[in-house]
Amino acid sequence: MKVSDRRCTKCGNALSSYNTDLVCGPCSQFQSARRVPDRAWRSPEVHRALAAWEFGELLRLLRRRSSLSQQDVSALTGFHQSFISNLESGRRALGSRDAIFNFLNGMDLPADLRPVLLAPFNDDRRRAAAEVLDPALPWTKDRMVTELEVAVGGSMKRRSVLTALGGAAVSQYVLQSAIAPTEALAAERPGGAPVTLKMLQAMQAITDELRESDASSGSGAVAKAAKQHLQVLVGWLSSGDFDERIGKRLAAVTADTAIQTGWYTFDSGKHEEAERLFLGALRAAHASGDSRLRAGALSFVAIHGYSVGDPRTAVTAARTGQQSINDQDAPALQAMLLTRQARGHARLREERHALAALDEAEALCARGGGEDDPHWLYWINEGEILGQRGSCYLELGRPAEAASAFDAARDVLSRDEVRTRAQFLSRAATAQMRAGDADAGCLVGLEALDLVQGIKSARLDENLQNMMAEAHQLRDARPLRPLIEQGDAVMKQRAMA
């Protein structure tokens, strides 16, 4: 199969060799899609939904007043029809600035209604919270607790996208974590509930159990429980009675729990909320004095950066994490940070740096676990490194090398890590199809689809949607028909779940 060199005249993306038009499929759909008339926006109930950032309700109202189908909205906004359905039913949310802007621009938000969108930010409490989160201010226990309270939905939490930290601010925050002095944590409060080591051991055991559940059934099954668990720990930090030693241990358990809760939240598609949790975890890890936890938090800040934020933040966070554990015998932790750095470089199209980081990660992984590698880093192995190499090659526009790396990863990935295996296989299928091998793409894609039942993960859904979009672009290729038929049925079921 020949790979076309032609580009869409609208968006600039590569055109499939099977597409004889001048525009790609999404742009073609957008051109022919119906529009949202201005009158659809002119009602008090629409204005209330917009002011409250209730985008699912807003979508329902606009569709009803415009006689638009969910497929019409998909064509206007660029979101998959299954996402549109879940957004309207309340099962999904718009989790980033770009997502909200794409949605509102696609739905033709009138210019005179834009001030209504800013209504949630006319709030003194929200401005106070933003001040507490300023990375340039001294890092204190009270500010750490306030940040965690904001992250888990405390009294000062408001819907925040426009006020979220930008890439430069997050990088400043990351660098501040490397130089800020560790805050004192002792909290002798008259009448406060005493916090004991035995209580903290029990809370750590719950965090570890949730981590294992996530690996098998996906984040959607554990995110709510993890957040409730974290709220208890933050409550202890806020009003518990403990000495400095117990305080540091409490901060460590809180940091680990916040990292995991942030991950479950991110994997559920709530990216802004996840970023707050990752930054709160970084503050707690810093307070604990455990450089390995700080490196772990930074690794997830990096994931957020290269996935939905600024990839330069990913590189900065990963490098800062590596520097923080230079005195530790932790080759697996270093390798994990290097894969995060590589993904950031790949997003920036810095191929040489990306491949160099991956080579170093493979060498460290081959050494095996070190004396100081943390107990929670059980999943770094040869298969994970190969899978990350495949993802980098895919990002760099080298699908043949990506397919080869994913194929090698499949042979060594643990079959117990079902979600990870399904994600890598779906990316592998995408790589095979982009490389021109429809037969291999179909076989690997079907293998991925066989694994996804019962796994709740927005990130997995995104990978599957990308795989199916690639298959639909090549729908005239006979070998892909089984993948398209089964994939469409599976995606429909997942949208309804």
Side-chain angles (χ1 to χ4, degrees):
M1 183 185 299
K2 294 182 179 179
V3 179
S4 173
D5 293 328
R6 297 181 302 113
R7 296 276 173 179
C8 173
T9 57
K10 293 292 183 182
C11 66
N13 287 333
L15 292 172
S16 165
S17 58
Y18 291 95
N19 186 350
T20 59
D21 296 332
L22 296 177
V23 296
C24 63
C27 288
S28 176
Q29 289 180 345
F30 182 81
Q31 286 178 325
S32 60
R34 300 167 59 190
R35 314 298 297 180
V36 180
D38 182 80
R39 60 176 170 75
W41 288 92
R42 306 304 171 181
S43 79
E45 55 184 355
V46 168
H47 296 172
R48 280 195 295 271
L50 179 63
W53 290 47
E54 296 291 349
F55 295 115
E57 174 67 6
L58 179 65
L59 171 60
R60 186 186 69 80
L61 292 169
L62 291 175
R63 280 213 313 114
R64 187 180 69 188
R65 294 170 62 84
S66 306
S67 299
L68 293 175
S69 68
Q70 291 182 349
Q71 194 62 45
D72 291 330
V73 175
S74 175
L76 289 170
T77 62
F79 293 112
H80 195 277
Q81 189 271 331
S82 62
F83 179 86
I84 296 297
S85 174
N86 285 331
L87 175 64
E88 187 168 329
S89 66
R91 291 192 294 267
R92 295 291 299 275
L94 296 172
S96 71
R97 285 169 296 183
D98 288 345
I100 289 179
F101 294 152
N102 288 342
F103 171 73
L104 292 175
N105 287 337
M107 299 297 283
D108 288 326
L109 171 68
D112 64 300
L113 292 184
R114 289 175 185 170
V116 178
L117 189 66
L118 301 177
F121 307 113
N122 299 324
D123 188 309
D124 291 338
R125 293 178 302 164
R126 182 63 199 146
R127 286 194 291 271
E131 181 179 297
V132 170
L133 305 183
D134 186 343
L137 293 174
W139 283 31
T140 65
K141 173 182 176 290
D142 288 342
R143 287 198 176 97
M144 174 192 70
V145 171
T146 300
E147 176 159 358
L148 285 163
E149 287 175 339
V150 170
V152 298
S155 60
M156 287 196 297
K157 183 178 186 290
R158 296 298 302 263
R159 296 174 184 269
S160 171
V161 172
L162 298 180
T163 59
L165 292 174
V170 174
S171 292
Q172 181 187 6
Y173 200 102
V174 164
L175 295 172
Q176 188 76 0
S177 73
I179 62 175
T182 302
E183 50 267 63
L185 286 178
E188 297 180 3
R189 300 182 184 275
V195 181
T196 67
L197 182 61
K198 188 173 182 179
M199 292 165 64
L200 294 177
Q201 289 171 337
M203 296 299 275
Q204 181 66 62
I206 293 173
T207 299
D208 292 338
E209 188 68 26
L210 289 169
R211 193 179 351 246
E212 291 183 14
S213 297
D214 166 63
S216 59
S217 56
S219 298
V222 296
K224 183 177 180 180
K227 192 171 184 179
Q228 293 170 339
H229 178 49
L230 177 59
Q231 286 171 332
V232 174
L233 289 164
V234 174
W236 289 357
L237 274 171
S238 176
S239 58
D241 187 353
F242 46 84
D243 60 21
E244 187 71 19
R245 181 179 67 89
I246 293 295
K248 286 189 177 298
R249 180 59 185 152
L250 172 56
V253 179
T254 302
D256 190 16
T257 304
I259 289 170
Q260 290 306 123
T261 305
W263 168 244
Y264 308 147
T265 303
F266 183 83
D267 194 42
S268 299
K270 300 175 182 177
H271 300 143
E272 295 290 345
E273 185 180 341
E275 182 181 48
R276 286 293 187 214
L277 286 162
F278 291 147
L279 295 178
L282 181 56
R283 289 296 285 264
H286 177 271
S288 76
D290 189 333
S291 61
R292 298 171 303 170
L293 272 174
R294 189 160 70 246
L298 287 167
S299 77
F300 284 92
V301 172
I303 291 177
H304 189 280
Y306 71 66
S307 298
V308 297
D310 188 338
R312 292 169 295 185
T313 298
V315 175
T316 300
R319 284 176 171 168
T320 303
Q322 293 165 52
Q323 292 168 0
S324 73
I325 56 171
N326 276 340
D327 60 342
Q328 304 274 346
D329 177 27
L333 186 53
Q334 287 279 11
M336 186 260 286
L337 288 162
L338 282 162
T339 64
R340 308 294 188 245
Q341 180 182 333
R343 293 292 297 274
H345 285 308
R347 281 290 306 277
L348 293 166
R349 299 298 189 270
E350 297 171 347
E351 182 173 316
R352 181 170 61 85
H353 294 298
L355 298 182
L358 288 167
D359 289 343
E360 188 176 352
E362 285 187 356
L364 286 166
C365 185
R367 284 177 48 190
E371 202 173 296
D372 298 319
D373 273 318
H375 74 283
W376 41 263
L377 199 62
Y378 61 88
W379 42 269
I380 285 294
N381 51 43
E382 182 186 2
E384 172 70 18
I385 305 297
L386 285 167
Q388 294 297 341
R389 181 179 287 276
S391 296
C392 285
Y393 277 132
L394 201 57
E395 195 75 54
L396 291 166
R398 296 171 58 175
E401 290 94 331
S404 178
F406 284 130
D407 190 52
R410 178 174 53 176
D411 294 336
V412 293
L413 276 172
S414 169
R415 294 193 175 274
D416 295 332
E417 298 288 326
V418 181
R419 180 188 54 189
T420 299
R421 191 175 183 85
Q423 287 184 166
F424 282 159
L425 286 174
S426 62
R427 293 180 200 166
T430 301
Q432 294 283 10
M433 287 184 280
R434 288 183 185 174
D437 193 338
D439 292 286
C442 180
L443 290 173
V444 176
L446 290 172
E447 186 179 348
L449 292 172
D450 287 341
L451 296 175
V452 302
Q453 186 173 0
I455 300 176
K456 298 179 180 180
S457 167
R459 291 175 67 251
L460 176 57
D461 286 343
E462 182 181 352
N463 286 320
L464 292 172
Q465 287 166 4
N466 290 339
M467 178 183 77
M468 294 310 301
E470 197 73 29
H472 275 286
Q473 280 199 355
L474 307 175
R475 58 184 174 271
D476 291 334
R478 185 181 297 273
L480 290 175
R481 290 178 185 174
L483 175 62
I484 291 173
E485 291 175 4
Q486 183 172 335
D488 286 348
V490 168
M491 297 308 293
K492 184 177 181 180
Q493 289 175 350
R494 292 182 72 79
M496 295 171 61

